[in-house]
């Protein structure tokens, strides 16, 4: 049984029709060094019945909440009661529309996992989908907060902070068995974030000259883009995704610095970084090359002879398409059988074309 607290006072007050002014200055809505920005946004065009039903279902879920693999959680995070007792699940309304879930600490020493029920009911129709998404995030956030509380002794520099963040977010995803990587794959976001983070790792671990600046800039950018902290640590999450428990535990015990270096050594992630540098060019080149080939086809038909561009362009297009599919395969956004079938088709088409135009 997890020991976190649940606070639904804000959403209950909203549903009961109370004046929300007493809550709008709550610390969970204030950001900035001196809490100078207030995020509180009064919900508009809300369906009170839907919020109330979600609240009832979620309250019941939280009473019996468990991770998908509690044994793994206990294996990595023993003696975590003290950390869990400092976590509050806050069921609220009043966050800006794009914020359904996030977490932040407050001056009272508590860590708050904030779930905005009005924003959930406004953006998702199906209750089961909402509950599934919230449970997945709670497992991830709870694990991350416990990890963050345990692993703070060696944080002395911005580079230590960066390594700590990658380590904690990566293992939070692995231990909680969150579905966030598949979610990012479905949105075609995984390749971009792997490239951005691995590129930051290279600059921080290898180049060193401006490592502290790179570390802080990447953390600021990642947290601003995604306060839910799902995109942060994406390289480590992919690195750990298929690791056996024993190997993952060994890396876990080695600590953040060695874990980050292991990510750097991963050949698949290195390949993705290199491929991503040319991926945008590949996507933009294929269509112009197809157009150019059609033009050369028309010229060839008019001249009754096969010119060189007509012969070469299809092979270049097939090569670029193969590279693009390989990138998708490395990111696990396409299944093995689909990948090999497409590569076989490209090879056969190239071979047939070469035979015809020789």
């Amino acid at each position: 049984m997890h020991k976190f607290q649940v606070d639904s006072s804000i959403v209950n007050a909203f549903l009961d029709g109370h004046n929300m002014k007493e809550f709008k200055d709550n610390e969970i809505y204030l950001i900035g060094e001196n809490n100078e920005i207030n995020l509180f946004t009064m919900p508009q065009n809300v369906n009170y019945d839907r919020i109330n039903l979600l609240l009832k279902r979620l309250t019941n879920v939280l009473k019996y909440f468990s991770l998908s693999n509690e044994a793994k959680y206990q294996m990595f995070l023993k003696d975590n009661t003290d950390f869990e007792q400092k976590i509050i699940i806050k069921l609220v309304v009043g966050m800006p529309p794009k914020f359904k879930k996030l977490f932040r600490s407050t001056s009272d020493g508590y860590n708050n996992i904030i779930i905005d029920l009005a924003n959930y009911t406004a953006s998702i129709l199906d209750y089961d989908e909402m509950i599934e998404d919230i449970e997945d995030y709670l497992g991830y956030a709870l694990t991350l907060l416990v990890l963050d509380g345990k692993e703070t002794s060696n944080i002395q520099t911005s580079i230590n902070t960066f390594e700590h963040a990658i380590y904690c977010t990566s293992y939070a995803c692995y231990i909680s068995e969150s579905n966030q990587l598949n979610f990012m794959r479905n949105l075609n976001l995984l390749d971009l974030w792997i490239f951005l983070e691995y590129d930051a790792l290279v600059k921080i671990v290898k180049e060193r000259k401006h490592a502290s600046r790179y570390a802080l800039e990447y953390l600021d950018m990642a947290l601003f883009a995604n306060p839910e902290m799902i995109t942060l640590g994406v390289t480590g999450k992919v690195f750990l995704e298929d690791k056996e428990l024993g190997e993952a535990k060994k890396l876990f015990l080695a600590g953040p610095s060695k874990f980050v270096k292991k990510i750097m050594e991963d050949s698949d992630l290195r390949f993705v970084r290199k491929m991503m540098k040319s991926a945008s060019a590949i996507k933009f080149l294929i269509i112009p090359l197809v157009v150019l080939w059609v033009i050369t086809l028309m010229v060839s038909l008019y001249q009754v002879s096969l010119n060189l561009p007509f012969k070469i362009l299809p092979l270049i297009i097939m090569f670029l398409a193969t590279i693009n599919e390989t990138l998708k395969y490395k990111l696990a956004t396409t299944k093995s059988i689909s990948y090999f079938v497409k590569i076989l088709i490209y090879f056969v088409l190239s071979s047939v074309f070469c035979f015809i135009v020789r």
Side-chain angles (χ1 to χ4, degrees), residues 73-305:
Y73 183 81
Q74 293 300 324
M75 175 183 175
F76 283 86
L77 300 173
K78 296 177 181 177
D79 304 321
N80 51 58
T81 301
D82 291 343
F83 296 102
E84 287 195 2
Q85 288 177 338
K86 301 293 287 184
I87 295 172
I88 303 176
I89 312 296
K90 282 192 176 286
L91 307 180
V92 308
V93 298
M95 285 291 170
K98 71 173 185 177
F99 294 140
K100 297 194 296 290
K101 59 201 177 193
L102 69 156
F103 60 86
R104 58 174 311 193
S105 59
T106 44
S107 58
D108 56 10
Y110 283 88
N111 289 304
N112 302 272
I113 301 175
I114 303 161
I115 308 295
D116 191 303
L117 276 63
N119 290 343
Y120 258 103
T121 55
S123 60
I124 302 175
L125 293 177
D126 186 77
Y127 288 100
D128 289 337
E129 184 180 344
M130 284 188 270
I131 294 296
E132 181 181 346
D133 188 67
I134 293 170
E135 283 189 297
D136 185 83
Y137 185 71
L138 287 178
Y140 170 70
L142 173 68
T143 309
L144 177 54
L145 289 171
V146 173
L147 276 168
D148 184 56
K150 282 178 172 287
E151 302 292 334
T152 57
S153 57
N154 294 319
I155 300 179
Q156 299 174 347
T157 67
S158 55
I159 296 176
N160 295 149
T161 302
F162 175 83
E163 293 171 340
H164 172 80
I166 301 299
Y167 173 83
C168 290
T169 51
S170 300
Y171 272 99
C173 183
Y174 179 77
I175 294 168
S176 67
E177 298 186 354
S178 171
N179 192 45
Q180 59 189 243
L181 286 179
N182 287 331
F183 180 74
M184 292 179 70
R185 288 184 179 108
N186 292 336
L187 293 179
N188 292 319
L189 292 173
L190 190 59
D191 52 353
L192 172 64
W193 280 102
I194 287 178
F195 169 71
L196 292 173
E197 189 166 286
Y198 194 88
D199 205 50
L201 283 171
V202 170
K203 292 175 181 176
I204 293 165
V205 176
K206 287 189 175 181
E207 297 181 11
R208 305 300 292 185
K209 185 177 180 181
H210 302 292
S212 295
R213 193 190 79 193
Y214 288 135
L216 288 175
E217 286 180 351
Y218 181 78
L219 287 175
D220 287 344
M221 183 271 293
L223 293 176
F224 177 80
N226 182 242
E228 300 169 10
M229 291 183 71
I230 288 174
T231 57
L232 187 61
V234 67
T235 53
K237 293 170 185 178
V238 171
F239 175 69
L240 287 172
E241 190 172 21
D242 297 319
K243 289 283 187 291
E244 296 292 334
L245 271 174
E247 185 179 359
K249 185 65 181 292
K250 184 178 179 181
L251 289 167
F252 178 76
L253 295 174
S257 182
K258 290 185 179 179
F259 177 69
V260 167
K261 288 179 181 177
K262 282 293 184 181
I263 296 173
M264 281 286 302
E265 296 168 2
D266 187 76
S267 58
D268 285 344
L269 291 172
R270 194 181 306 122
F271 173 83
V272 169
R273 182 201 179 217
K274 291 178 180 177
M275 292 300 299
M276 276 298 296
K277 285 193 171 183
S278 57
S280 57
I282 290 172
K283 292 176 183 177
F284 287 112
L285 277 174
I286 289 178
I287 293 177
L289 286 174
V290 169
V291 173
L292 184 59
W293 183 75
V294 172
I295 294 172
T296 62
L297 171 61
M298 295 171 66
V299 172
S300 296
L301 292 174
Y302 177 76
Q303 295 178 344
V304 197
S305 64

Side-chain angles (χ1 to χ4, degrees), residues 73 106 254 325 327 331 347:
Y73 183 81
T106 44
E325 289 300 325
L327 179 60
L331 292 170
F347 177 76

